[in-house]
Amino acid sequence: MTVAEPVESLARPEPLSHLDALEAEAVHIIREAVAEFERPVLLFSGGKDSAVLLHLAAKAFWPAPVPFPLLHVDTGHNFPEVIDYRDRTAERYGLRLIVASVQEYIDSGRLRERPDGTRNPLQTVPLLEAIETNRFDAVFGGGRRDEEKARAKERVFSLRDEFGQWDPRRQRPELWNLYNGRHRPGEHVRVFPLSNWTELDVWQYIEREQVPLPSIYFAHEREVFRRNGMWLAPGEWGGPKDGEPVEKRTVRYRTVGDMSCTGAVESTARTVAEVIAEIATSRLTERGATRADDRLSEAAMEDRKREGYF
């Protein structure tokens, strides 16, 4: 008796690498959303997660262009390097960039400046009105479950009611790669293709795909001052106060947000490879290390998300 040789065409395919599997899942989610919804949009802050998300969207539809616009909620206190990167990136992809301005809302009296100068919580109203005005029914976001406990609760397709609000107790089940995009008129769905990625995954993917980023992600000398254990950048938003001396430090940023609440970390990592080596040994998440707005209360992020925040 002889044993038949295996037919080459029936041989088991090589398993995907970790990054290939994450990429395939994200591309599948993006394509599913575009197939299911009529008016999607991608939230683009100029941060590393939205940069990776846009890169994945371009791959998902290549060689056709990305079939939806970008939306940024500009607090008026964003890092200039990030705004420059945002505009250059939108132009490079040939995409329409919609900017919802917190400053315009304050100037017109529709929002009031907070005593602490923090504008991150003020983003919700301009965001929801931009979604309503443009009748967007799906909003892509770069949120990941490993960032923060409220984001860990989110589904990949996460329903928002007619007021843009999220109720974590009424989330829909998601089985394997089956996503529920049903919604009534006025409701919309937030879509998170990077849900299962970690910060380290994002940086390893940036290295592999050579995704360009704003310069503030890499170590540079900068004027900063110390507040509540964070190195914050001085600016028109209200820092520093008396007793908060400004110093020059070599720092970099792990997240991109409003200058009033986004802290820098001391670092010598000037390349993507050095950043990967740095965060591989870090015991703090990027938000835990650098976001003052998450410290406003024990459930600060969940409270903002319930109101309609990212």
Side-chain angles (χ1 to χ4, degrees):
M1 180 178 177
T2 60
V3 178
E5 292 290 331
V7 178
E8 188 173 345
S9 62
L10 297 180
R12 181 175 297 178
E14 289 290 324
L16 295 175
S17 71
H18 179 60
L19 287 183
D20 284 339
L22 289 173
E23 180 188 76
E25 180 188 58
V27 166
H28 169 73
I29 292 167
I30 293 168
R31 289 174 175 168
E32 281 287 296
V34 169
E36 193 158 348
F37 296 94
E38 295 180 356
R39 296 179 68 86
V41 67
L42 189 151
L43 289 175
F44 188 74
S45 66
K48 65 183 186 309
D49 301 302
S50 58
V52 165
L53 191 53
L54 180 55
H55 180 83
L56 287 162
K59 274 198 162 188
F61 302 105
W62 184 262
V66 175
F68 40 77
L70 308 178
L71 170 61
H72 181 222
V73 182
D74 186 344
T75 66
H77 292 161
N78 294 101
F79 293 93
E81 300 96 323
V82 176
I83 295 299
D84 177 63
Y85 170 84
R86 177 200 70 182
D87 293 343
R88 286 188 287 108
T89 303
E91 183 177 356
R92 179 160 59 90
Y93 281 93
L95 294 176
R96 182 165 68 101
L97 172 65
I98 301 165
V99 177
S101 169
V102 171
Q103 187 64 56
E104 289 182 6
Y105 276 72
I106 293 173
D107 293 343
S108 64
R110 288 176 287 173
L111 283 176
R112 182 179 298 177
E113 194 86 79
R114 291 168 55 94
D116 60 6
T118 298
R119 286 189 171 179
N120 255 19
L122 302 182
Q123 295 181 79
T124 301
V125 171
L127 169 67
L128 294 181
E129 291 197 3
I131 291 171
E132 182 181 4
T133 300
N134 291 280
R135 296 183 289 112
F136 295 128
D137 54 3
V139 182
F140 289 105
R144 311 186 322 267
R145 291 184 173 126
D146 80 319
E147 287 183 80
E148 197 278 336
K149 56 189 176 186
R151 287 190 167 168
K153 296 180 183 178
E154 286 269 23
R155 299 291 190 263
V156 174
F157 276 30
S158 190
L159 183 67
R160 297 299 192 269
D161 66 17
E162 63 271 33
F163 303 106
Q165 297 174 337
W166 175 61
D167 186 348
R169 296 167 301 181
R170 298 181 59 193
Q171 297 202 93
R172 298 161 166 173
E174 286 185 338
L175 303 177
W176 301 286
N177 60 351
L178 301 176
Y179 307 112
N180 186 345
R182 292 180 184 173
H183 62 285
R184 293 177 295 190
E187 296 177 336
H188 70 274
V189 173
R190 305 284 172 90
V191 182
F192 301 104
L194 305 184
S195 284
N196 296 326
W197 297 49
T198 66
E199 182 186 15
L200 189 59
D201 295 330
V202 169
W203 277 102
Q204 289 173 334
Y205 190 74
I206 288 167
E207 181 182 52
R208 190 183 85 169
E209 301 289 313
Q210 297 292 294
V211 179
L213 292 179
S215 59
I216 66 170
Y217 275 113
F218 305 100
H220 57 289
E221 192 175 65
R222 193 180 198 99
E223 287 191 337
V224 291
F225 66 91
R226 196 78 167 162
R227 178 180 294 173
N228 298 327
M230 289 186 183
W231 290 110
L232 298 174
E236 297 177 353
W237 56 272
K241 300 176 182 176
D242 292 341
E244 295 175 332
V246 174
E247 309 174 34
K248 278 196 172 180
R249 296 271 175 169
T250 301
V251 299
R252 74 176 191 87
Y253 289 86
R254 289 178 66 177
T255 66
V256 162
D258 190 77
M259 292 175 69
S260 63
C261 60
T262 304
V265 295
E266 292 190 82
S267 171
T268 58
R270 297 182 184 277
T271 67
V272 174
E274 290 172 351
V275 171
I276 290 172
E278 183 180 273
I279 63 175
T281 59
S282 174
R283 305 298 296 173
L284 285 173
T285 68
E286 72 251 50
R287 293 196 71 94
T290 65
R291 295 303 289 263
D293 50 332
D294 290 352
R295 301 181 182 182
L296 294 175
S297 71
E298 180 66 23
M301 172 64 87
E302 182 162 328
D303 290 343
R304 294 201 303 275
K305 289 178 75 67
R306 284 175 180 269
E307 295 170 356
Y309 187 72
F310 311 124

